[in-house]
Amino acid sequence: MGEILAGALFMYIFKEASRNAYNNDRREVNFRKNFFKYFGLNLPHADAIDDVLRVLAPSELEQLKARLVAGLIEQKIFRKFRFLGKYYLVAVDATGMASFEQRHCNHCLTKTSKTGVVTYFHYVLEAKIVTSTGLSISLASEFIENDPGRDYEKQDCEQKAFARLAVKIKKYFPRLPICILADGLYPNNSVFDICAKNDWKFIITLKDGNLKTFQTEVGLLRATASKRSICRVDKTTRTNLEYTFLNDIEYKGRYFSWVECMETIVNIKGTEISNQRFAYITNVHQNLQNVAETADSGRLRWKIENEGFNSQKNLGYALEHKFSRTSFIALQNYYHLMQIGHMINQLVERCNQVVDILKEHSKQTIVDLWKKMMAYLIIFQCEDNLQIPYQPG
Ligand SMILES: [Zn+2]
């Protein structure tokens, strides 16, 4: 089992992007020998991996992932990034995994176009620990899936999946102090309930259309709001940040705070180059000391999209690749292994040895480095007397 899972995991760590690419490398004798020399494992055929991943309960790999992340938390990897020195920032968002023209399995979500064409697809809701340095590490995943018996009208959705995801986070990390970061789909009473029940803080994006009564109240009290201005200067730009906040705004029997950040960036000549507004609802009571950290943390939410989903889609992990064309169980297992592989690589890419190489050669990139590592494993001739116990078919 160790060899099977390690094989699948290395498909992601090596950024092979498909089972076929993995098989091609595995066919090289040097590659197999080098892999055995460094890791003490045989490389199984991708079909053997697939056979196992079709029957292994996805909860097993999910648990493995949670244990690994718990280990990182114990080793204090995220400690210095905590919000207000206490709360781990956990961004929550959904992303597409794979879409199919034909029904892939009986858990597929479906979408019918105006012309009546049905597409079948899978979505996953993620909770990832995010940091200002760009780490985006999967804490828990919940698949948005249809129950085979249910009718089309009652498709599963992100909101329902969030309730299940919250249960999972609490199960695997019962005492972890968490602050949830989420987008404009999340300011609603059921999300506030879940956060209150679990004793979680939240900083949630407030869009113009969200929570009308709350926003009306904010509009009425705006003139009395407290403000704090910060100016950040670097070599080429000056960034002016104006933070505004209000506390104790009532919404359906609870009291929340409202935070707004206006950001203006000007260049050396004084010309404005960008002007943005961000607004949040939070259950963290605001004051002049914490308002900037609150709004800045709220903005880290996009790390789940950029460092999380986009990296997994476009930087070698092939998140949207159809790793299994028929099995939903296998699709989930590949997904969990991808999260573990990406987690390992994020840590490797930040270790001193790699950072030093990148610093030394200014044109060197992570992509180049991985290409060279793969070339080394394929071309470098291992000692001839190294015997690997298994010869693949
Ligand atoms: Zn399916």
Side-chain angles (χ1 to χ4, degrees), residues 100 103-109 120-122 326-328 331:
F100 304 86
R103 180 170 279 285
H104 154 263
C105 69
N106 50 16
H107 297 268
C108 287
L109 298 168
Y120 301 87
F121 58 98
H122 283 281
T326 51
S327 163
F328 182 49
L331 205 64

Side-chain angles (χ1 to χ4, degrees), residues 161-372:
F162 178 67
R164 302 196 301 270
L165 181 72
V167 173
K168 252 182 207 174
I169 298 172
K170 203 67 191 172
K171 177 180 145 197
Y172 292 126
F173 305 93
R175 285 177 302 278
L176 194 69
I178 284 174
C179 177
I180 297 282
L181 310 176
D183 67 15
L185 203 67
Y186 284 77
N188 63 59
N189 227 15
S190 51
V191 171
F192 301 151
D193 275 342
I194 289 169
C195 290
K197 202 178 90 190
N198 291 310
D199 207 12
W200 293 340
K201 298 294 179 199
F202 64 76
I203 306 167
I204 299 178
T205 302
L206 204 55
K207 287 200 285 198
D208 286 342
N210 293 146
L211 309 181
K212 285 236 168 78
T213 58
F214 183 87
Q215 303 230 49
T216 309
E217 190 75 11
V218 168
L220 292 170
L221 295 169
R222 250 202 99 105
T224 67
S226 309
K227 280 185 197 298
R228 184 180 174 195
S229 298
I230 291 178
C231 183
R232 289 183 192 136
V233 182
D234 67 21
K235 278 182 198 151
T236 54
T237 57
R238 198 177 74 226
T239 305
N240 293 311
L241 297 144
E242 189 170 77
Y243 301 96
T244 311
F245 65 89
L246 286 164
N247 285 313
D248 304 318
I249 308 278
E250 199 253 3
Y251 181 74
K252 297 199 173 171
R254 287 202 186 93
Y255 293 86
F256 299 120
S257 299
W258 169 83
V259 180
E260 183 188 70
C261 172
M262 302 288 286
E263 180 194 77
T264 319
I265 305 177
V266 294
N267 63 17
I268 293 174
K269 292 173 189 154
T271 316
E272 186 176 305
I273 47 176
S274 134
N275 187 339
Q276 283 180 286
R277 173 184 179 265
F278 307 93
Y280 304 97
I281 181 170
T282 175
N283 57 353
V284 178
H285 199 267
Q286 294 297 294
N287 55 49
L288 290 171
Q289 282 69 50
N290 69 14
V291 66
E293 193 179 343
T294 305
D296 294 354
S297 299
R299 283 178 71 178
L300 288 182
R301 192 207 67 80
W302 67 270
K303 297 271 181 202
I304 193 173
E305 285 180 30
N306 196 39
E307 270 83 351
F309 302 150
N310 288 349
S311 299
Q312 288 182 9
K313 280 174 193 172
N314 306 317
L315 293 177
Y317 304 93
L319 171 61
E320 292 164 306
H321 176 73
K322 299 166 180 63
F323 281 102
S324 176
R325 287 180 179 275
T326 51
S327 163
F328 182 49
I329 291 178
L331 205 64
Q332 294 175 70
N333 283 327
Y334 282 113
Y335 183 80
H336 287 312
L337 288 163
M338 182 190 297
Q339 301 313 306
I340 297 172
H342 186 213
M343 169 169 82
I344 292 170
N345 277 352
Q346 287 183 68
L347 297 171
V348 170
E349 287 164 11
R350 282 167 181 76
C351 75
N352 290 339
Q353 290 95 322
V354 172
V355 171
D356 286 349
I357 294 172
L358 294 179
K359 250 191 241 160
E360 217 170 292
H361 312 278
S362 60
K363 295 273 162 63
Q364 178 87 274
T365 62
I366 292 283
V367 176
D368 291 332
L369 212 55
W370 250 247
K371 259 190 214 158
K372 283 180 184 147

